[in-house]
Amino acid sequence: MKASFDIRCLSMPSDDLTGWETLVEQIARLIANEQHQVQSRPTYICGESFGGCLALQLAASFPSLCQHLILINPATSAAHQPWVSWGASITQRLPPKLYRLSTFGLLPLLIQPQRVSLSNRQALLQAMQSVSPRSAAWRISLLSKFALKTLPLERIIQPVLLLASGADRLLPSVDEAGRLVRHLPNARTVQLPDSGHACLLESEVNLGKLLKSTEFDPSIRGGRELLLHPQAGAQSG
């Protein structure tokens, strides 16, 4: 990946309570600033799960912001899932100790444990536990309000790559990728039949190789691009 991209990772503070519209505007300014510093390079925006919803809104609101869009198991169907309706209410009521323990129960929904190394499982748990219960509940509530039909998806005419995990226990990612492809004029889907929701943590999944196999890798054209990855993790440092 580093041979083809200058990578930037956009993360949310662990106690963040920012709404969709403000998030999109803030991140658009950050990306524009990066583009000003690294000029004449196409920009790829890569969003996973919650970040996939954010990436879609960025691309629809600011169509010229990126030249390629990568969506990995985007949580665009979350509003239709039963767990979302009660998840926010329960999460914010959990005492801190019980909240931390609850993340262990979520782990099998997010990953296929046998495909994820121990160090990556621990890193995922640490990231989940670092987010405050109030902020976690807020992010779930944002997903419950996400409405794909309100976005002007016809404005997203750049190439879009959708990665969909066939063994996703959290969301119906394969079905959702099929729905998104019908709304995005220039999209294609790659299925990962044995992968869980957080597929990028798996030892067998290499995003760089996937991009190259789908001709999304700029090294095929002899270029070097700027890759920005919106994610919902806690802010470090």
PDB file of all heavy atoms in Angstrom, residues 44-47 67-74 156 158-164 177 180-181 184 186-191 206-217:
ATOM      1  N   TYR A  44      -8.135   8.998  -3.107  1.00  0.00           N
ATOM      2  CA  TYR A  44      -8.996   7.849  -2.837  1.00  0.00           C
ATOM      3  C   TYR A  44      -9.557   8.013  -1.422  1.00  0.00           C
ATOM      4  O   TYR A  44      -8.791   8.233  -0.484  1.00  0.00           O
ATOM      5  CB  TYR A  44      -8.202   6.540  -2.866  1.00  0.00           C
ATOM      6  CG  TYR A  44      -7.732   6.062  -4.217  1.00  0.00           C
ATOM      7  CD1 TYR A  44      -7.030   6.885  -5.095  1.00  0.00           C
ATOM      8  CD2 TYR A  44      -7.965   4.741  -4.608  1.00  0.00           C
ATOM      9  CE1 TYR A  44      -6.578   6.423  -6.310  1.00  0.00           C
ATOM     10  CE2 TYR A  44      -7.505   4.261  -5.835  1.00  0.00           C
ATOM     11  CZ  TYR A  44      -6.824   5.111  -6.686  1.00  0.00           C
ATOM     12  OH  TYR A  44      -6.367   4.641  -7.887  1.00  0.00           O
ATOM     13  N   ILE A  45     -10.848   7.867  -1.262  1.00  0.00           N
ATOM     14  CA  ILE A  45     -11.439   7.846   0.073  1.00  0.00           C
ATOM     15  C   ILE A  45     -11.902   6.423   0.356  1.00  0.00           C
ATOM     16  O   ILE A  45     -12.628   5.818  -0.443  1.00  0.00           O
ATOM     17  CB  ILE A  45     -12.609   8.833   0.195  1.00  0.00           C
ATOM     18  CG1 ILE A  45     -12.103  10.275   0.121  1.00  0.00           C
ATOM     19  CG2 ILE A  45     -13.365   8.616   1.509  1.00  0.00           C
ATOM     20  CD1 ILE A  45     -13.189  11.324   0.246  1.00  0.00           C
ATOM     21  N   CYS A  46     -11.463   5.884   1.490  1.00  0.00           N
ATOM     22  CA  CYS A  46     -11.786   4.512   1.875  1.00  0.00           C
ATOM     23  C   CYS A  46     -12.536   4.548   3.205  1.00  0.00           C
ATOM     24  O   CYS A  46     -12.019   5.064   4.202  1.00  0.00           O
ATOM     25  CB  CYS A  46     -10.489   3.701   1.996  1.00  0.00           C
ATOM     26  SG  CYS A  46     -10.724   2.009   2.579  1.00  0.00           S
ATOM     27  N   GLY A  47     -13.749   4.021   3.236  1.00  0.00           N
ATOM     28  CA  GLY A  47     -14.546   4.022   4.448  1.00  0.00           C
ATOM     29  C   GLY A  47     -15.031   2.627   4.785  1.00  0.00           C
ATOM     30  O   GLY A  47     -15.542   1.909   3.917  1.00  0.00           O
ATOM     31  N   GLN A  67     -11.384  11.102  -6.348  1.00  0.00           N
ATOM     32  CA  GLN A  67     -11.463  10.513  -7.685  1.00  0.00           C
ATOM     33  C   GLN A  67     -11.818   9.029  -7.643  1.00  0.00           C
ATOM     34  O   GLN A  67     -12.195   8.445  -8.653  1.00  0.00           O
ATOM     35  CB  GLN A  67     -10.140  10.705  -8.426  1.00  0.00           C
ATOM     36  CG  GLN A  67      -9.902  12.132  -8.905  1.00  0.00           C
ATOM     37  CD  GLN A  67      -9.687  13.105  -7.751  1.00  0.00           C
ATOM     38  OE1 GLN A  67      -8.846  12.903  -6.880  1.00  0.00           O
ATOM     39  NE2 GLN A  67     -10.476  14.167  -7.736  1.00  0.00           N
ATOM     40  N   HIS A  68     -11.651   8.409  -6.489  1.00  0.00           N
ATOM     41  CA  HIS A  68     -12.004   7.000  -6.302  1.00  0.00           C
ATOM     42  C   HIS A  68     -12.585   6.832  -4.898  1.00  0.00           C
ATOM     43  O   HIS A  68     -12.131   7.477  -3.950  1.00  0.00           O
ATOM     44  CB  HIS A  68     -10.792   6.085  -6.454  1.00  0.00           C
ATOM     45  CG  HIS A  68     -10.201   6.077  -7.833  1.00  0.00           C
ATOM     46  ND1 HIS A  68      -9.361   7.082  -8.283  1.00  0.00           N
ATOM     47  CD2 HIS A  68     -10.325   5.203  -8.857  1.00  0.00           C
ATOM     48  CE1 HIS A  68      -8.995   6.815  -9.533  1.00  0.00           C
ATOM     49  NE2 HIS A  68      -9.565   5.679  -9.891  1.00  0.00           N
ATOM     50  N   LEU A  69     -13.544   5.921  -4.784  1.00  0.00           N
ATOM     51  CA  LEU A  69     -14.195   5.664  -3.501  1.00  0.00           C
ATOM     52  C   LEU A  69     -14.169   4.162  -3.216  1.00  0.00           C
ATOM     53  O   LEU A  69     -14.510   3.352  -4.084  1.00  0.00           O
ATOM     54  CB  LEU A  69     -15.645   6.165  -3.552  1.00  0.00           C
ATOM     55  CG  LEU A  69     -16.479   6.075  -2.272  1.00  0.00           C
ATOM     56  CD1 LEU A  69     -15.881   6.935  -1.164  1.00  0.00           C
ATOM     57  CD2 LEU A  69     -17.925   6.511  -2.553  1.00  0.00           C
ATOM     58  N   ILE A  70     -13.733   3.805  -2.005  1.00  0.00           N
ATOM     59  CA  ILE A  70     -13.675   2.406  -1.588  1.00  0.00           C
ATOM     60  C   ILE A  70     -14.555   2.255  -0.353  1.00  0.00           C
ATOM     61  O   ILE A  70     -14.354   2.937   0.653  1.00  0.00           O
ATOM     62  CB  ILE A  70     -12.230   1.977  -1.252  1.00  0.00           C
ATOM     63  CG1 ILE A  70     -11.295   2.256  -2.424  1.00  0.00           C
ATOM     64  CG2 ILE A  70     -12.176   0.501  -0.864  1.00  0.00           C
ATOM     65  CD1 ILE A  70      -9.821   2.257  -2.044  1.00  0.00           C
ATOM     66  N   LEU A  71     -15.527   1.354  -0.419  1.00  0.00           N
ATOM     67  CA  LEU A  71     -16.458   1.123   0.683  1.00  0.00           C
ATOM     68  C   LEU A  71     -16.321  -0.322   1.140  1.00  0.00           C
ATOM     69  O   LEU A  71     -16.476  -1.250   0.340  1.00  0.00           O
ATOM     70  CB  LEU A  71     -17.895   1.400   0.244  1.00  0.00           C
ATOM     71  CG  LEU A  71     -18.172   2.803  -0.307  1.00  0.00           C
ATOM     72  CD1 LEU A  71     -19.595   2.887  -0.853  1.00  0.00           C
ATOM     73  CD2 LEU A  71     -17.944   3.859   0.763  1.00  0.00           C
ATOM     74  N   ILE A  72     -16.034  -0.506   2.435  1.00  0.00           N
ATOM     75  CA  ILE A  72     -15.805  -1.838   2.980  1.00  0.00           C
ATOM     76  C   ILE A  72     -16.892  -2.147   4.003  1.00  0.00           C
ATOM     77  O   ILE A  72     -16.953  -1.529   5.070  1.00  0.00           O
ATOM     78  CB  ILE A  72     -14.412  -1.922   3.635  1.00  0.00           C
ATOM     79  CG1 ILE A  72     -13.331  -1.521   2.616  1.00  0.00           C
ATOM     80  CG2 ILE A  72     -14.151  -3.321   4.179  1.00  0.00           C
ATOM     81  CD1 ILE A  72     -11.967  -1.287   3.233  1.00  0.00           C
ATOM     82  N   ASN A  73     -17.787  -3.073   3.654  1.00  0.00           N
ATOM     83  CA  ASN A  73     -18.923  -3.414   4.520  1.00  0.00           C
ATOM     84  C   ASN A  73     -19.576  -2.167   5.114  1.00  0.00           C
ATOM     85  O   ASN A  73     -19.732  -2.049   6.344  1.00  0.00           O
ATOM     86  CB  ASN A  73     -18.470  -4.351   5.650  1.00  0.00           C
ATOM     87  CG  ASN A  73     -17.971  -5.688   5.123  1.00  0.00           C
ATOM     88  OD1 ASN A  73     -18.489  -6.216   4.152  1.00  0.00           O
ATOM     89  ND2 ASN A  73     -16.960  -6.233   5.765  1.00  0.00           N
ATOM     90  N   PRO A  74     -19.967  -1.214   4.273  1.00  0.00           N
ATOM     91  CA  PRO A  74     -20.554   0.021   4.811  1.00  0.00           C
ATOM     92  C   PRO A  74     -21.829  -0.272   5.592  1.00  0.00           C
ATOM     93  O   PRO A  74     -22.630  -1.123   5.207  1.00  0.00           O
ATOM     94  CB  PRO A  74     -20.847   0.842   3.551  1.00  0.00           C
ATOM     95  CG  PRO A  74     -20.981  -0.174   2.463  1.00  0.00           C
ATOM     96  CD  PRO A  74     -20.008  -1.257   2.802  1.00  0.00           C
ATOM     97  N   ILE A 156     -22.228  10.758  -7.487  1.00  0.00           N
ATOM     98  CA  ILE A 156     -20.997   9.981  -7.302  1.00  0.00           C
ATOM     99  C   ILE A 156     -20.738   9.203  -8.590  1.00  0.00           C
ATOM    100  O   ILE A 156     -21.153   8.055  -8.769  1.00  0.00           O
ATOM    101  CB  ILE A 156     -21.116   9.024  -6.092  1.00  0.00           C
ATOM    102  CG1 ILE A 156     -21.491   9.808  -4.836  1.00  0.00           C
ATOM    103  CG2 ILE A 156     -19.813   8.261  -5.881  1.00  0.00           C
ATOM    104  CD1 ILE A 156     -21.710   8.934  -3.609  1.00  0.00           C
ATOM    105  N   GLN A 158     -17.553   8.865  -9.910  1.00  0.00           N
ATOM    106  CA  GLN A 158     -16.214   8.298  -9.933  1.00  0.00           C
ATOM    107  C   GLN A 158     -16.283   6.793  -9.666  1.00  0.00           C
ATOM    108  O   GLN A 158     -17.280   6.282  -9.168  1.00  0.00           O
ATOM    109  CB  GLN A 158     -15.312   8.982  -8.899  1.00  0.00           C
ATOM    110  CG  GLN A 158     -15.795   8.897  -7.462  1.00  0.00           C
ATOM    111  CD  GLN A 158     -16.605  10.097  -7.070  1.00  0.00           C
ATOM    112  OE1 GLN A 158     -17.616  10.391  -7.683  1.00  0.00           O
ATOM    113  NE2 GLN A 158     -16.170  10.794  -6.037  1.00  0.00           N
ATOM    114  N   PRO A 159     -15.223   6.045 -10.014  1.00  0.00           N
ATOM    115  CA  PRO A 159     -15.217   4.608  -9.743  1.00  0.00           C
ATOM    116  C   PRO A 159     -15.371   4.313  -8.253  1.00  0.00           C
ATOM    117  O   PRO A 159     -14.741   4.942  -7.407  1.00  0.00           O
ATOM    118  CB  PRO A 159     -13.844   4.162 -10.251  1.00  0.00           C
ATOM    119  CG  PRO A 159     -13.451   5.189 -11.258  1.00  0.00           C
ATOM    120  CD  PRO A 159     -14.014   6.481 -10.743  1.00  0.00           C
ATOM    121  N   VAL A 160     -16.236   3.357  -7.942  1.00  0.00           N
ATOM    122  CA  VAL A 160     -16.479   2.929  -6.565  1.00  0.00           C
ATOM    123  C   VAL A 160     -16.225   1.434  -6.462  1.00  0.00           C
ATOM    124  O   VAL A 160     -16.729   0.656  -7.276  1.00  0.00           O
ATOM    125  CB  VAL A 160     -17.929   3.234  -6.132  1.00  0.00           C
ATOM    126  CG1 VAL A 160     -18.167   2.760  -4.695  1.00  0.00           C
ATOM    127  CG2 VAL A 160     -18.243   4.717  -6.264  1.00  0.00           C
ATOM    128  N   LEU A 161     -15.439   1.046  -5.474  1.00  0.00           N
ATOM    129  CA  LEU A 161     -15.191  -0.368  -5.206  1.00  0.00           C
ATOM    130  C   LEU A 161     -15.853  -0.739  -3.888  1.00  0.00           C
ATOM    131  O   LEU A 161     -15.615  -0.099  -2.860  1.00  0.00           O
ATOM    132  CB  LEU A 161     -13.687  -0.649  -5.123  1.00  0.00           C
ATOM    133  CG  LEU A 161     -13.302  -2.098  -4.805  1.00  0.00           C
ATOM    134  CD1 LEU A 161     -13.739  -3.036  -5.931  1.00  0.00           C
ATOM    135  CD2 LEU A 161     -11.802  -2.219  -4.570  1.00  0.00           C
ATOM    136  N   LEU A 162     -16.703  -1.765  -3.919  1.00  0.00           N
ATOM    137  CA  LEU A 162     -17.404  -2.246  -2.731  1.00  0.00           C
ATOM    138  C   LEU A 162     -16.841  -3.601  -2.333  1.00  0.00           C
ATOM    139  O   LEU A 162     -16.863  -4.552  -3.124  1.00  0.00           O
ATOM    140  CB  LEU A 162     -18.896  -2.385  -3.019  1.00  0.00           C
ATOM    141  CG  LEU A 162     -19.731  -1.108  -2.992  1.00  0.00           C
ATOM    142  CD1 LEU A 162     -20.975  -1.271  -3.858  1.00  0.00           C
ATOM    143  CD2 LEU A 162     -20.141  -0.776  -1.569  1.00  0.00           C
ATOM    144  N   LEU A 163     -16.320  -3.709  -1.116  1.00  0.00           N
ATOM    145  CA  LEU A 163     -15.886  -4.989  -0.575  1.00  0.00           C
ATOM    146  C   LEU A 163     -16.957  -5.475   0.389  1.00  0.00           C
ATOM    147  O   LEU A 163     -17.336  -4.752   1.317  1.00  0.00           O
ATOM    148  CB  LEU A 163     -14.551  -4.857   0.153  1.00  0.00           C
ATOM    149  CG  LEU A 163     -13.361  -4.339  -0.670  1.00  0.00           C
ATOM    150  CD1 LEU A 163     -12.084  -4.369   0.163  1.00  0.00           C
ATOM    151  CD2 LEU A 163     -13.186  -5.160  -1.933  1.00  0.00           C
ATOM    152  N   ALA A 164     -17.459  -6.697   0.165  1.00  0.00           N
ATOM    153  CA  ALA A 164     -18.567  -7.223   0.959  1.00  0.00           C
ATOM    154  C   ALA A 164     -18.195  -8.581   1.536  1.00  0.00           C
ATOM    155  O   ALA A 164     -17.842  -9.508   0.804  1.00  0.00           O
ATOM    156  CB  ALA A 164     -19.824  -7.349   0.100  1.00  0.00           C
ATOM    157  N   ALA A 177     -24.334  -4.518  -0.524  1.00  0.00           N
ATOM    158  CA  ALA A 177     -23.469  -4.147  -1.651  1.00  0.00           C
ATOM    159  C   ALA A 177     -24.235  -4.224  -2.961  1.00  0.00           C
ATOM    160  O   ALA A 177     -24.097  -3.352  -3.837  1.00  0.00           O
ATOM    161  CB  ALA A 177     -22.247  -5.065  -1.691  1.00  0.00           C
ATOM    162  N   LEU A 180     -26.376  -1.115  -3.150  1.00  0.00           N
ATOM    163  CA  LEU A 180     -25.598   0.088  -3.427  1.00  0.00           C
ATOM    164  C   LEU A 180     -25.153   0.148  -4.887  1.00  0.00           C
ATOM    165  O   LEU A 180     -25.151   1.224  -5.502  1.00  0.00           O
ATOM    166  CB  LEU A 180     -24.382   0.146  -2.507  1.00  0.00           C
ATOM    167  CG  LEU A 180     -24.669   0.482  -1.040  1.00  0.00           C
ATOM    168  CD1 LEU A 180     -23.423   0.263  -0.187  1.00  0.00           C
ATOM    169  CD2 LEU A 180     -25.140   1.918  -0.906  1.00  0.00           C
ATOM    170  N   VAL A 181     -24.776  -0.989  -5.443  1.00  0.00           N
ATOM    171  CA  VAL A 181     -24.326  -1.019  -6.837  1.00  0.00           C
ATOM    172  C   VAL A 181     -25.421  -0.514  -7.771  1.00  0.00           C
ATOM    173  O   VAL A 181     -25.142   0.127  -8.793  1.00  0.00           O
ATOM    174  CB  VAL A 181     -23.880  -2.452  -7.226  1.00  0.00           C
ATOM    175  CG1 VAL A 181     -23.806  -2.609  -8.734  1.00  0.00           C
ATOM    176  CG2 VAL A 181     -22.528  -2.767  -6.611  1.00  0.00           C
ATOM    177  N   LEU A 184     -25.251   3.403  -7.552  1.00  0.00           N
ATOM    178  CA  LEU A 184     -24.005   4.107  -7.870  1.00  0.00           C
ATOM    179  C   LEU A 184     -23.637   3.810  -9.329  1.00  0.00           C
ATOM    180  O   LEU A 184     -23.441   2.646  -9.698  1.00  0.00           O
ATOM    181  CB  LEU A 184     -22.884   3.647  -6.926  1.00  0.00           C
ATOM    182  CG  LEU A 184     -23.114   3.975  -5.443  1.00  0.00           C
ATOM    183  CD1 LEU A 184     -22.123   3.221  -4.564  1.00  0.00           C
ATOM    184  CD2 LEU A 184     -22.996   5.480  -5.206  1.00  0.00           C
ATOM    185  N   ASN A 186     -21.067   3.950 -11.243  1.00  0.00           N
ATOM    186  CA  ASN A 186     -19.791   3.380 -11.682  1.00  0.00           C
ATOM    187  C   ASN A 186     -19.179   2.524 -10.569  1.00  0.00           C
ATOM    188  O   ASN A 186     -18.032   2.722 -10.177  1.00  0.00           O
ATOM    189  CB  ASN A 186     -18.835   4.511 -12.082  1.00  0.00           C
ATOM    190  CG  ASN A 186     -17.638   4.004 -12.862  1.00  0.00           C
ATOM    191  OD1 ASN A 186     -17.612   2.872 -13.337  1.00  0.00           O
ATOM    192  ND2 ASN A 186     -16.628   4.841 -12.983  1.00  0.00           N
ATOM    193  N   ALA A 187     -19.978   1.576 -10.062  1.00  0.00           N
ATOM    194  CA  ALA A 187     -19.531   0.763  -8.923  1.00  0.00           C
ATOM    195  C   ALA A 187     -19.376  -0.700  -9.314  1.00  0.00           C
ATOM    196  O   ALA A 187     -20.048  -1.199 -10.225  1.00  0.00           O
ATOM    197  CB  ALA A 187     -20.528   0.873  -7.778  1.00  0.00           C
ATOM    198  N   ARG A 188     -18.481  -1.365  -8.598  1.00  0.00           N
ATOM    199  CA  ARG A 188     -18.323  -2.812  -8.747  1.00  0.00           C
ATOM    200  C   ARG A 188     -18.105  -3.413  -7.370  1.00  0.00           C
ATOM    201  O   ARG A 188     -17.658  -2.742  -6.441  1.00  0.00           O
ATOM    202  CB  ARG A 188     -17.143  -3.155  -9.659  1.00  0.00           C
ATOM    203  CG  ARG A 188     -15.808  -2.670  -9.157  1.00  0.00           C
ATOM    204  CD  ARG A 188     -14.676  -3.055 -10.082  1.00  0.00           C
ATOM    205  NE  ARG A 188     -14.534  -4.498 -10.219  1.00  0.00           N
ATOM    206  CZ  ARG A 188     -13.553  -5.086 -10.891  1.00  0.00           C
ATOM    207  NH1 ARG A 188     -12.646  -4.351 -11.503  1.00  0.00           N
ATOM    208  NH2 ARG A 188     -13.480  -6.391 -10.954  1.00  0.00           N
ATOM    209  N   THR A 189     -18.433  -4.705  -7.236  1.00  0.00           N
ATOM    210  CA  THR A 189     -18.372  -5.391  -5.948  1.00  0.00           C
ATOM    211  C   THR A 189     -17.371  -6.535  -5.979  1.00  0.00           C
ATOM    212  O   THR A 189     -17.280  -7.255  -6.979  1.00  0.00           O
ATOM    213  CB  THR A 189     -19.753  -5.953  -5.568  1.00  0.00           C
ATOM    214  OG1 THR A 189     -20.691  -4.885  -5.465  1.00  0.00           O
ATOM    215  CG2 THR A 189     -19.707  -6.685  -4.235  1.00  0.00           C
ATOM    216  N   VAL A 190     -16.646  -6.678  -4.893  1.00  0.00           N
ATOM    217  CA  VAL A 190     -15.796  -7.848  -4.668  1.00  0.00           C
ATOM    218  C   VAL A 190     -16.273  -8.506  -3.382  1.00  0.00           C
ATOM    219  O   VAL A 190     -16.323  -7.860  -2.331  1.00  0.00           O
ATOM    220  CB  VAL A 190     -14.305  -7.470  -4.538  1.00  0.00           C
ATOM    221  CG1 VAL A 190     -13.473  -8.687  -4.114  1.00  0.00           C
ATOM    222  CG2 VAL A 190     -13.778  -6.908  -5.846  1.00  0.00           C
ATOM    223  N   GLN A 191     -16.649  -9.780  -3.473  1.00  0.00           N
ATOM    224  CA  GLN A 191     -17.100 -10.505  -2.296  1.00  0.00           C
ATOM    225  C   GLN A 191     -15.946 -11.240  -1.638  1.00  0.00           C
ATOM    226  O   GLN A 191     -15.091 -11.816  -2.319  1.00  0.00           O
ATOM    227  CB  GLN A 191     -18.201 -11.499  -2.663  1.00  0.00           C
ATOM    228  CG  GLN A 191     -19.520 -10.847  -3.044  1.00  0.00           C
ATOM    229  CD  GLN A 191     -20.653 -11.857  -3.151  1.00  0.00           C
ATOM    230  OE1 GLN A 191     -20.625 -12.915  -2.519  1.00  0.00           O
ATOM    231  NE2 GLN A 191     -21.665 -11.528  -3.942  1.00  0.00           N
ATOM    232  N   ASN A 206      -5.733  -8.652   2.199  1.00  0.00           N
ATOM    233  CA  ASN A 206      -4.729  -7.633   1.936  1.00  0.00           C
ATOM    234  C   ASN A 206      -5.356  -6.592   1.014  1.00  0.00           C
ATOM    235  O   ASN A 206      -5.589  -6.863  -0.172  1.00  0.00           O
ATOM    236  CB  ASN A 206      -3.494  -8.262   1.285  1.00  0.00           C
ATOM    237  CG  ASN A 206      -2.361  -7.277   1.085  1.00  0.00           C
ATOM    238  OD1 ASN A 206      -2.531  -6.238   0.460  1.00  0.00           O
ATOM    239  ND2 ASN A 206      -1.188  -7.600   1.618  1.00  0.00           N
ATOM    240  N   LEU A 207      -5.638  -5.418   1.550  1.00  0.00           N
ATOM    241  CA  LEU A 207      -6.326  -4.396   0.765  1.00  0.00           C
ATOM    242  C   LEU A 207      -5.496  -3.989  -0.446  1.00  0.00           C
ATOM    243  O   LEU A 207      -6.034  -3.782  -1.531  1.00  0.00           O
ATOM    244  CB  LEU A 207      -6.629  -3.175   1.635  1.00  0.00           C
ATOM    245  CG  LEU A 207      -7.394  -2.034   0.963  1.00  0.00           C
ATOM    246  CD1 LEU A 207      -8.725  -2.509   0.396  1.00  0.00           C
ATOM    247  CD2 LEU A 207      -7.612  -0.878   1.947  1.00  0.00           C
ATOM    248  N   GLY A 208      -4.182  -3.883  -0.279  1.00  0.00           N
ATOM    249  CA  GLY A 208      -3.329  -3.513  -1.400  1.00  0.00           C
ATOM    250  C   GLY A 208      -3.453  -4.484  -2.557  1.00  0.00           C
ATOM    251  O   GLY A 208      -3.567  -4.087  -3.729  1.00  0.00           O
ATOM    252  N   LYS A 209      -3.450  -5.791  -2.264  1.00  0.00           N
ATOM    253  CA  LYS A 209      -3.579  -6.803  -3.315  1.00  0.00           C
ATOM    254  C   LYS A 209      -4.961  -6.753  -3.953  1.00  0.00           C
ATOM    255  O   LYS A 209      -5.099  -6.953  -5.170  1.00  0.00           O
ATOM    256  CB  LYS A 209      -3.300  -8.188  -2.738  1.00  0.00           C
ATOM    257  CG  LYS A 209      -1.838  -8.429  -2.378  1.00  0.00           C
ATOM    258  CD  LYS A 209      -1.630  -9.833  -1.845  1.00  0.00           C
ATOM    259  CE  LYS A 209      -0.153 -10.077  -1.513  1.00  0.00           C
ATOM    260  NZ  LYS A 209       0.066 -11.444  -0.977  1.00  0.00           N
ATOM    261  N   LEU A 210      -5.983  -6.490  -3.136  1.00  0.00           N
ATOM    262  CA  LEU A 210      -7.335  -6.397  -3.684  1.00  0.00           C
ATOM    263  C   LEU A 210      -7.460  -5.211  -4.634  1.00  0.00           C
ATOM    264  O   LEU A 210      -8.086  -5.314  -5.695  1.00  0.00           O
ATOM    265  CB  LEU A 210      -8.352  -6.263  -2.551  1.00  0.00           C
ATOM    266  CG  LEU A 210      -8.659  -7.538  -1.756  1.00  0.00           C
ATOM    267  CD1 LEU A 210      -9.458  -7.208  -0.508  1.00  0.00           C
ATOM    268  CD2 LEU A 210      -9.421  -8.529  -2.629  1.00  0.00           C
ATOM    269  N   LEU A 211      -6.857  -4.098  -4.267  1.00  0.00           N
ATOM    270  CA  LEU A 211      -6.907  -2.929  -5.145  1.00  0.00           C
ATOM    271  C   LEU A 211      -6.174  -3.192  -6.451  1.00  0.00           C
ATOM    272  O   LEU A 211      -6.615  -2.772  -7.528  1.00  0.00           O
ATOM    273  CB  LEU A 211      -6.307  -1.709  -4.436  1.00  0.00           C
ATOM    274  CG  LEU A 211      -7.042  -1.194  -3.198  1.00  0.00           C
ATOM    275  CD1 LEU A 211      -6.360   0.039  -2.642  1.00  0.00           C
ATOM    276  CD2 LEU A 211      -8.501  -0.898  -3.499  1.00  0.00           C
ATOM    277  N   LYS A 212      -5.064  -3.895  -6.354  1.00  0.00           N
ATOM    278  CA  LYS A 212      -4.301  -4.198  -7.573  1.00  0.00           C
ATOM    279  C   LYS A 212      -5.078  -5.160  -8.467  1.00  0.00           C
ATOM    280  O   LYS A 212      -5.114  -4.984  -9.698  1.00  0.00           O
ATOM    281  CB  LYS A 212      -2.944  -4.791  -7.193  1.00  0.00           C
ATOM    282  CG  LYS A 212      -2.013  -4.996  -8.382  1.00  0.00           C
ATOM    283  CD  LYS A 212      -0.575  -5.237  -7.943  1.00  0.00           C
ATOM    284  CE  LYS A 212       0.023  -3.990  -7.331  1.00  0.00           C
ATOM    285  NZ  LYS A 212       1.472  -4.140  -7.056  1.00  0.00           N
ATOM    286  N   SER A 213      -5.721  -6.138  -7.878  1.00  0.00           N
ATOM    287  CA  SER A 213      -6.459  -7.120  -8.671  1.00  0.00           C
ATOM    288  C   SER A 213      -7.677  -6.508  -9.355  1.00  0.00           C
ATOM    289  O   SER A 213      -8.161  -7.018 -10.360  1.00  0.00           O
ATOM    290  CB  SER A 213      -6.896  -8.294  -7.795  1.00  0.00           C
ATOM    291  OG  SER A 213      -7.901  -7.898  -6.871  1.00  0.00           O
ATOM    292  N   THR A 214      -8.182  -5.409  -8.799  1.00  0.00           N
ATOM    293  CA  THR A 214      -9.343  -4.739  -9.385  1.00  0.00           C
ATOM    294  C   THR A 214      -8.954  -3.483 -10.163  1.00  0.00           C
ATOM    295  O   THR A 214      -9.818  -2.704 -10.554  1.00  0.00           O
ATOM    296  CB  THR A 214     -10.344  -4.346  -8.280  1.00  0.00           C
ATOM    297  OG1 THR A 214      -9.679  -3.549  -7.295  1.00  0.00           O
ATOM    298  CG2 THR A 214     -10.916  -5.571  -7.607  1.00  0.00           C
ATOM    299  N   GLU A 215      -7.656  -3.282 -10.346  1.00  0.00           N
ATOM    300  CA  GLU A 215      -7.105  -2.141 -11.076  1.00  0.00           C
ATOM    301  C   GLU A 215      -7.424  -0.815 -10.388  1.00  0.00           C
ATOM    302  O   GLU A 215      -7.465   0.237 -11.033  1.00  0.00           O
ATOM    303  CB  GLU A 215      -7.597  -2.138 -12.528  1.00  0.00           C
ATOM    304  CG  GLU A 215      -7.149  -3.367 -13.299  1.00  0.00           C
ATOM    305  CD  GLU A 215      -7.502  -3.309 -14.775  1.00  0.00           C
ATOM    306  OE1 GLU A 215      -8.141  -2.330 -15.205  1.00  0.00           O
ATOM    307  OE2 GLU A 215      -7.141  -4.257 -15.495  1.00  0.00           O
ATOM    308  N   PHE A 216      -7.642  -0.865  -9.060  1.00  0.00           N
ATOM    309  CA  PHE A 216      -7.794   0.363  -8.289  1.00  0.00           C
ATOM    310  C   PHE A 216      -6.449   0.871  -7.788  1.00  0.00           C
ATOM    311  O   PHE A 216      -6.371   1.954  -7.226  1.00  0.00           O
ATOM    312  CB  PHE A 216      -8.723   0.109  -7.088  1.00  0.00           C
ATOM    313  CG  PHE A 216     -10.092   0.727  -7.243  1.00  0.00           C
ATOM    314  CD1 PHE A 216     -10.923   0.333  -8.279  1.00  0.00           C
ATOM    315  CD2 PHE A 216     -10.541   1.682  -6.365  1.00  0.00           C
ATOM    316  CE1 PHE A 216     -12.179   0.890  -8.420  1.00  0.00           C
ATOM    317  CE2 PHE A 216     -11.798   2.255  -6.496  1.00  0.00           C
ATOM    318  CZ  PHE A 216     -12.614   1.859  -7.534  1.00  0.00           C
ATOM    319  N   ASP A 217      -5.400   0.077  -7.955  1.00  0.00           N
ATOM    320  CA  ASP A 217      -4.069   0.444  -7.477  1.00  0.00           C
ATOM    321  C   ASP A 217      -3.401   1.357  -8.496  1.00  0.00           C
ATOM    322  O   ASP A 217      -3.233   0.987  -9.655  1.00  0.00           O
ATOM    323  CB  ASP A 217      -3.222  -0.813  -7.271  1.00  0.00           C
ATOM    324  CG  ASP A 217      -1.910  -0.526  -6.563  1.00  0.00           C
ATOM    325  OD1 ASP A 217      -1.313   0.531  -6.832  1.00  0.00           O
ATOM    326  OD2 ASP A 217      -1.483  -1.358  -5.751  1.00  0.00           O
TER     327      ASP A 217
END
